[in-house]
Amino acid sequence: MNLVGTRSAGLRRREQEWPTRRISLLIFPRVHLMNIAGPLDVFTRASLALTRAGNSSSRAYEIELLTIDDLPLVTASGLSLVGGRHWTQAVTPIDTLLLIAGASELDSSIAPELLAWLRASADRVRRIGSVCSGAFALAAAGILDGRRATTHWKLADKLARRYPRISVDADKIFVQDGNVWTSAGVSTGADLALAMVEEDHGHAVALDVARHMVLFLRRPGGQSQFSTQLAAQAADLQPIRELIAWVSDHLDADLSVHALARRAGMSDRNFSRVFSRQVGTTPARFVASLRLQAAKARLEATTDSVETIASRAGFSDGEALRRRFRSEGATPRLYRERMAASGVGMA
């Protein structure tokens, strides 16, 4: 038996294995379940997917729930969670520390010893971040001073007023500034976690997780909390909501006012009036915005040509898409390069 060869092969396998990264979720009381479940599920599924692939015998992520108060942790829905530990008993080293809080905790004082631990942890961990109003705890510890950050849009003004040294962007679903990440909360916690998985293990792994969770891979951090589709959900009339859902899936179809009015069973004039009142913009502007958002998403997530992206997003040709970008002072190529350089898009 060639012991030297066997030993060398074993060493090579170990060298190819990734380090097990500890993800510590610091959960504040009365948090909404979805704020916890999104990141927790993403990291858990990513670890399982990598183990199943047989690329490593070590787990990609170990996840730890840390609490502010004693267990059990009572969530906003009244459901109690067990299985975590008090933050003073956190296992180290921590790779990624995420603060997850509910809106009810915004005006609660944070213990000085916890703030001191957060400041010390920010210097030790590879990444630190927040979901929803967890940004307020990061801000109270001074970790967001001089940085860009976001939180849920309803809380952004309050965060900016209370902590003027932070550049608060109320529009983004998540923001990465160096090793500090903040997200808008609720479903965006999953977007934040997917972006972290992609940073750690690549696009293919994050895509596999997103597909199993039936999520988009990925809403980029730059996507607005007030995207066209989200804004349109406020429409009171079900026919308008159903039409918007259909339009989102058929961007390359004839989406003229006449075609949409026929589909909604209205006259052109009545449809334009009702749609504008319900959605807050004209049908033509809505379609143009939706097509541009779709084109931007494909520029960020694929290496498809501008012509291909233009066709799939419903533009007549690549030049039409370029003209749309030029109206915003950019080009598709420049947009793609900027997103890749910022870590949002594909390299």
Side-chain angles (χ1 to χ4, degrees):
M1 179 181 294
N2 186 350
L3 295 178
V4 175
T6 303
R7 187 180 300 113
S8 297
L11 287 172
R12 283 195 298 272
R13 281 195 298 273
R14 284 194 293 274
E15 287 171 357
Q16 292 170 358
E17 292 184 356
W18 46 73
T20 298
R21 295 182 166 98
R22 182 176 301 280
I23 310 293
S24 296
L25 307 180
L26 179 63
I27 314 297
F28 285 74
R30 309 303 299 176
V31 69
H32 293 283
L33 280 170
M34 198 169 182
N35 287 341
I36 306 173
L40 180 64
D41 212 19
V42 166
F43 288 119
T44 299
R45 287 173 181 267
S47 195
L48 291 172
L50 287 162
T51 301
R52 283 196 305 268
N55 296 327
S56 174
S57 60
S58 61
R59 285 182 292 175
Y61 299 108
E62 286 185 354
I63 304 165
E64 176 183 52
L65 297 183
L66 302 176
T67 64
I68 305 300
D69 299 322
D70 293 332
L71 291 169
L73 172 68
V74 180
T75 65
S77 64
L79 184 67
S80 297
L81 302 180
V82 296
R85 56 171 58 93
H86 194 265
W87 65 268
T88 56
Q89 300 173 326
V91 177
T92 56
I94 296 172
D95 175 86
T96 300
L97 176 61
L98 286 181
L99 280 60
I100 305 177
S104 60
E105 291 302 311
L106 292 180
D107 297 313
S108 300
S109 60
I110 301 174
E113 55 270 25
L114 175 56
L115 293 177
W117 181 76
L118 289 175
R119 284 190 287 268
S121 296
D123 293 331
R124 291 192 295 260
V125 301
R126 186 169 64 96
R127 289 183 300 221
I128 189 168
S130 63
V131 176
C132 199
S133 60
F136 283 78
L138 289 179
I143 295 168
L144 297 182
D145 286 353
R147 295 184 181 272
R148 293 170 53 248
T150 193
T151 187
H152 193 284
W153 61 269
K154 291 181 68 175
L155 309 173
D157 286 346
K158 189 172 186 178
L159 181 65
R161 287 195 304 270
R162 187 178 296 181
Y163 302 100
R165 296 186 64 185
I166 304 171
S167 177
V168 179
D169 192 335
D171 196 44
K172 301 296 185 288
I173 64 170
F174 70 82
V175 170
Q176 178 187 1
D177 189 331
N179 72 329
V180 180
W181 303 57
T182 52
S183 76
V186 196
S187 64
T188 66
D191 295 290
L192 182 77
L194 281 170
M196 290 180 172
V197 169
E198 185 169 5
E199 180 180 71
D200 294 344
H201 298 286
H203 178 79
V205 174
L207 178 60
D208 181 66
V209 173
R211 282 174 171 168
H212 280 85
M213 294 180 69
V214 199
L215 296 173
F216 288 105
L217 183 73
R218 60 187 164 89
R219 292 192 297 177
Q223 181 168 317
S224 172
Q225 293 189 47
F226 308 100
S227 67
T228 304
Q229 297 96 321
L230 289 176
Q233 289 177 175
D236 295 328
L237 296 180
Q238 185 174 349
I240 298 298
R241 291 197 301 270
E242 290 177 349
L243 178 66
I244 288 168
W246 182 87
V247 167
S248 300
D249 291 333
H250 298 83
L251 291 176
D252 56 350
D254 177 7
L255 301 181
S256 64
V257 169
H258 179 66
L260 294 178
R262 286 186 59 188
R263 188 167 189 87
M266 302 179 184
S267 68
D268 293 6
R269 184 176 179 180
N270 187 48
F271 169 74
S272 295
R273 180 177 56 81
V274 171
F275 189 96
S276 298
R277 185 176 66 243
Q278 289 285 306
V279 180
T281 188
T282 66
R285 288 176 180 171
F286 175 81
V287 169
S289 177
L290 205 60
R291 282 173 167 162
L292 181 61
Q293 287 182 16
K296 285 181 175 180
R298 294 195 69 84
L299 283 168
E300 293 163 9
T302 75
T303 58
D304 291 348
S305 68
V306 171
E307 296 295 334
T308 298
I309 290 173
S311 175
R312 292 182 178 178
F315 290 88
S316 57
D317 53 29
E319 183 55 32
L321 177 57
R322 293 184 184 94
R323 284 197 301 271
R324 186 67 177 84
F325 267 93
R326 282 198 294 271
S327 70
E328 297 189 345
T331 66
R333 180 178 63 83
L334 182 59
Y335 179 83
R336 176 177 266 164
E337 290 174 353
R338 284 175 178 170
M339 292 300 100
S342 68
V344 172
M346 296 181 66

